Amino acid sequence: MILPMAESSETVLSSILAIAAHDLASEYSPNDLGHGTFQQMSKNYQNKSLALLAQELNSLSTSSTSALQASTTSAYTLASVITLCNNEFMKPQGAGWRLHLSAAREIILAAGNRPCRHHQLACIEQFLMLEFYEASVWADLTTFDNYNMAVKSPPASSENAVFTDFIRVIDQITRLERLRFSSGTIEQASSFGPMQDIQSQIESARNNMMRLSASIHFSSEADQHGFELVVWMYYHATIIYSHQALSEDAAAGEDVRQSRDEILRYVQFLSETRDGMFAQDLVWPLFMAGTELQGNPTGQKIIQECFGNVMRISRTLDRARVLSFVETWWNDPGTYTSWIDMARKQSQLSQCDILIV
């Protein structure tokens, strides 16, 4: 949806060329001449885009800019920032993506209720805001001291959304966990969604996804079955997360183990059949299942192999560090009460800035 904007915006064009060159660089080994050549091209285009963005942001802050002109400029600026953010996702160790997410947040807040010149532009903005929302939710999983308690609202339109219902629940669970940690009680967080309502929201997300599956024209029944397995994996992963973050019920451990085992069963089936089609969607369920595998070498091996497949098929991104985090969790039993506790304490030492996506 962003590509047509490049015809009217040099900033968007430069951002797209930056991520395209970066993607091409990843096709070469680090010691290959092509890798360095495309990396430099990516850096040059990124720097050009950043310089143009600075001018656009200055224009948006100018009071003489008309509302319609500001709305149009804002859409193009947001497109550039989101594109650059995705470019940083490909080299997340520097966490530059967090800066771009912050910039996107400010652009969206400043846009407010400005009128939009074109219906097509409004649709693109909806898509960009959905991209921003989902990226923010994944980023917040390992954001603690700087966590923004302000309620994030996904765009009202569900168009172009696939796992947004689950992501909305994940967002709510994270917010409840942060509030619980700061206040010491879950009841004080009830205005953000009662604890007892989380399970029904997860069930609702699964049901909505299954209805979506029935409306999609898949090329084969096997593809539809694979998609529905991914839905079930998201369901079980989010069940696990809800218990880890919020539950004090000792009996919940059996539910968590069952969900973990279901994820392992589904991912093994997909790896033998259609892992190439859904590899990019498996990081969240693999991570959550992995956090429940301390002392389980068989399950750990499955997670390691599946992460390897995901990185081979759909780029490394931050997935090597995500796997390394899980492996550290496996090898350090008893030191932390949960992976969330481990991430929180590591973040205080600037040692946990992984992107679980």
Side-chain angles (χ1 to χ4, degrees):
M1 295 185 75
I2 295 177
L3 277 175
M5 301 178 81
E7 297 180 2
S8 305
S9 169
E10 189 177 4
T11 315
V12 175
L13 176 61
S14 298
S15 301
I16 292 173
L17 291 174
I19 195 172
H22 197 153
D23 190 55
L24 287 170
S26 67
E27 296 288 339
Y28 296 86
S29 64
N31 296 325
D32 195 289
L33 177 62
H35 178 83
T37 300
F38 284 115
Q39 281 281 41
Q40 187 59 49
M41 287 176 61
S42 177
K43 184 176 180 180
N44 291 342
Y45 281 122
Q46 176 168 302
N47 289 340
K48 181 178 181 180
S49 180
L50 289 171
L52 293 169
L53 273 172
Q55 297 175 20
E56 290 181 2
L57 290 170
N58 182 62
S59 172
L60 286 172
S61 64
T62 302
S63 58
S64 61
T65 303
S66 70
L68 284 175
Q69 182 183 351
S71 177
T72 302
T73 302
S74 177
Y76 285 104
T77 303
L78 183 60
S80 299
V81 170
I82 293 295
T83 304
L84 289 175
C85 186
N86 278 280
N87 187 40
E88 294 290 348
F89 284 163
M90 299 173 71
K91 48 177 180 180
Q93 291 84 348
W97 49 271
R98 286 194 184 273
L99 296 176
H100 291 302
L101 278 181
S102 295
R105 181 180 295 108
E106 294 305 315
I107 293 168
I108 291 170
L109 289 174
N113 295 317
R114 288 177 185 149
C116 187
R117 189 189 301 272
H118 304 294
H119 171 69
Q120 183 180 6
L121 205 57
C123 292
I124 294 173
E125 278 193 296
Q126 285 286 309
F127 168 76
L128 293 170
M129 286 191 284
L130 181 63
E131 285 279 296
F132 164 76
Y133 172 75
E134 295 186 353
S136 297
V137 172
W138 297 126
D140 281 348
L141 288 171
T142 54
T143 302
F144 298 94
D145 291 343
N146 296 321
Y147 180 79
N148 187 348
M149 288 294 187
V151 179
K152 296 186 294 295
S153 299
S157 172
S158 60
E159 189 177 356
N160 302 309
V162 179
F163 293 105
T164 304
D165 284 346
F166 280 117
I167 293 171
R168 186 183 294 111
V169 183
I170 293 166
D171 180 26
Q172 190 169 4
I173 294 169
T174 301
R175 188 181 302 111
L176 285 168
E177 194 282 333
R178 301 300 186 269
L179 286 166
R180 181 188 190 189
F181 181 81
S182 62
S183 67
T185 174
I186 194 69
E187 284 75 21
Q188 293 187 28
S190 60
S191 62
F192 294 87
M195 169 62 181
Q196 63 269 24
D197 192 41
I198 293 294
Q199 177 69 43
S200 64
Q201 291 184 46
I202 298 173
E203 299 283 349
S204 177
R206 181 198 61 195
N207 294 338
N208 289 343
M209 289 296 298
M210 288 303 182
R211 282 193 290 271
L212 175 64
S213 174
S215 69
I216 296 175
H217 179 68
F218 292 93
S219 59
S220 68
E221 289 185 6
D223 287 346
Q224 181 172 6
H225 179 59
F227 176 79
E228 291 175 354
L229 288 184
V230 176
V231 172
W232 276 107
M233 291 171 71
Y234 263 70
Y235 167 79
H236 286 296
T238 311
I239 287 286
I240 292 172
Y241 184 45
S242 68
H243 285 302
Q244 291 175 338
L246 305 174
S247 179
E248 294 180 347
D249 183 4
E254 182 58 32
D255 292 336
V256 169
R257 284 188 290 274
Q258 288 179 0
S259 286
R260 175 202 66 190
D261 292 344
E262 288 295 277
I263 291 173
L264 293 178
R265 184 165 68 90
Y266 293 149
V267 78
Q268 284 181 288
F269 177 83
L270 283 177
S271 67
E272 295 169 359
T273 55
R274 332 199 80 70
D275 62 341
M277 179 173 292
F278 303 107
Q280 72 278 0
D281 300 313
L282 300 182
V283 177
W284 168 244
L286 286 175
F287 176 80
M288 292 314 304
T291 62
E292 290 294 329
L293 288 169
Q294 280 188 337
N296 187 330
T298 301
Q300 291 172 7
K301 183 178 180 181
I302 294 171
I303 295 297
Q304 289 169 324
E305 290 176 350
C306 289
F307 259 105
N309 287 337
V310 168
M311 288 186 280
R312 174 178 55 83
I313 295 168
S314 64
R315 298 286 186 262
T316 300
L317 302 184
D318 208 16
R319 292 154 184 174
R321 291 202 308 155
V322 172
L323 176 58
S324 178
F325 176 90
V326 175
E327 290 171 335
T328 300
W329 167 245
W330 292 340
N331 297 325
D332 202 8
T335 304
Y336 305 98
T337 58
S338 68
W339 74 265
I340 300 173
D341 179 48
M342 176 173 145
R344 177 177 276 113
K345 290 175 179 174
Q346 287 189 354
S347 72
Q348 295 170 353
L349 303 173
S350 300
Q351 294 177 349
C352 183
D353 206 8
I354 56 174
L355 184 66
I356 307 168
V357 66

